Amino acid sequence: VSLIPIAAAIISGFTVAACYILTEAKDQFLAKGVVFPAISFLGREGDAKFIYQIGFVTTGILLLLVIGLLHIFLLKPLSETGLIVNLTEEKQKASPSDSKQSSQTSIDKDASKLCAKRAVRMGVLSAVGVIVQGAFVLEMEISTQTLLHWGGALMFIAGAQAHATEVLCLYETTASTALQRLLKSSLKWKIACVNSPGIIFIIPLLLQALRIVSGLGAGAFVQNFMGVMQWGVVASYILFFLSYAFDFYLALTSFKTQEKANFQSKASKKND
């Protein structure tokens, strides 16, 4: 089970790498100063197109499996424990003048269930987006296929972002202290992945310096500028989904430990 997110990440990485090599051999974009072409550009024709379609459709199917397993092993248990809601903040919003209220919290199971449902829906949307943009590759003209490709890419990014937001909400505010401790390391990984798209805006500044030093043309600079941002955002969400491999492993091992403890407890009671 834990290998499925890993397989999805490896296949997507291999797909991009293989398409990069094949497209470079044909178009020689490196000689033109383009190091980071748009990912969609790499799967337009020939063998690269076939690998792009097979690779990303397979990745999307695996991500659908990941979302299903996530619901079974983590989202469902998290939704049943409920979310910790800060009642003090809610009261202060209702009456801002009263700032001396004591801190109060409550457990909201309806909110956690809604959060889990949204996480599943947005995760499925993201996975379907990967499949659509992979099946309908980019064409160098405005066509139905090109629009479907762009639509699939937007589904992936928008779905992944919304999915990540809901999952982080569940992980951070779950009422189960045991699950919070269990998922602490994974939560840090996920937060880093979600924050990284903002960090990658620094990279174009480095490209600007590289342009001045090496004399890259404006066309190459713009392509690299957009390419770096796209590669960074896509990679951050692939790594976010990859983190579920760790979560599944923890969930499975902890469940086995819990079942063993329950079995031993029942056995001791019978002996008594």
Side-chain angles (χ1 to χ4, degrees):
V1 172
S2 298
L3 293 177
I4 296 177
I6 297 174
I10 291 174
I11 291 173
S12 62
F14 171 81
T15 299
V16 172
C19 291
Y20 190 100
I21 293 170
L22 290 171
T23 304
E24 157 58 18
K26 183 178 183 300
D27 294 344
Q28 297 183 343
F29 51 78
L30 287 175
K32 303 172 186 176
V34 179
V35 181
F36 296 100
I39 296 174
S40 301
F41 174 79
L42 301 175
R44 293 180 299 113
E45 54 190 6
D47 293 337
K49 176 181 177 180
F50 177 74
I51 292 174
Y52 190 98
Q53 289 175 316
I54 296 298
F56 279 114
V57 169
T58 303
T59 299
I61 292 172
L62 289 175
L63 288 180
L64 284 174
L65 291 174
V66 169
I67 298 302
L69 292 169
L70 178 68
H71 173 67
I72 294 170
F73 291 119
L74 287 165
L75 295 185
K76 191 174 181 180
L78 284 168
S79 66
E80 290 173 350
T81 61
L83 298 181
I84 297 176
V85 179
N86 192 324
L87 297 179
T88 304
E89 291 182 359
E90 297 297 324
K91 289 179 180 179
Q92 286 179 350
K93 289 178 182 178
S95 55
S97 59
D98 187 3
S99 60
K100 296 182 179 180
Q101 298 176 17
S102 60
S103 178
Q104 296 179 341
T105 60
S106 176
I107 296 176
D108 190 340
K109 290 189 176 182
D110 290 335
S112 63
K113 289 178 181 178
L114 180 60
C115 204
K117 286 181 180 179
R118 288 174 179 169
V120 171
R121 289 173 185 170
M122 292 300 100
V124 169
L125 178 69
S126 181
V128 171
V130 174
I131 295 173
V132 171
Q133 70 85 33
F136 301 97
V137 299
L138 181 70
E139 293 181 331
M140 299 309 292
E141 60 182 1
I142 302 298
S143 63
T144 302
Q145 181 168 311
T146 296
L147 292 175
L148 285 170
H149 177 83
W150 287 340
L154 288 173
M155 285 169 62
F156 165 66
I157 294 298
Q161 184 176 15
H163 169 79
T165 300
E166 300 296 340
V167 169
L168 288 179
C169 178
L170 281 169
Y171 277 40
E172 288 179 318
T173 59
T174 177
S176 171
T177 55
L179 285 172
Q180 277 189 340
R181 288 194 299 268
L182 185 69
L183 300 170
K184 185 177 180 180
S185 298
S186 175
L187 179 60
K188 292 180 180 178
W189 180 345
K190 288 176 174 60
I191 291 174
C193 290
V194 171
N195 290 338
S196 61
I199 297 173
I200 63 170
F201 280 95
I202 298 173
I203 299 178
L205 298 177
L206 298 177
L207 283 176
Q208 187 175 20
L210 180 63
R211 178 193 176 191
I212 295 173
V213 172
S214 62
L216 287 175
F221 171 73
V222 171
Q223 290 184 62
N224 283 317
F225 181 93
M226 299 302 294
V228 165
M229 296 212 311
Q230 184 193 50
W231 284 56
V233 171
V234 170
S236 68
Y237 286 118
I238 291 296
L239 289 173
F240 187 96
F241 285 114
L242 175 61
S243 70
Y244 290 135
F246 183 60
D247 297 357
F248 293 162
Y249 173 78
L250 290 177
L252 288 170
T253 53
S254 65
F255 290 162
K256 287 180 179 179
T257 302
Q258 185 64 41
E259 288 175 0
K260 185 178 180 180
N262 291 338
F263 176 79
Q264 291 175 344
S265 177
K266 290 179 181 179
S268 63
K269 286 180 180 179
K270 287 182 179 179
N271 292 334
D272 293 341

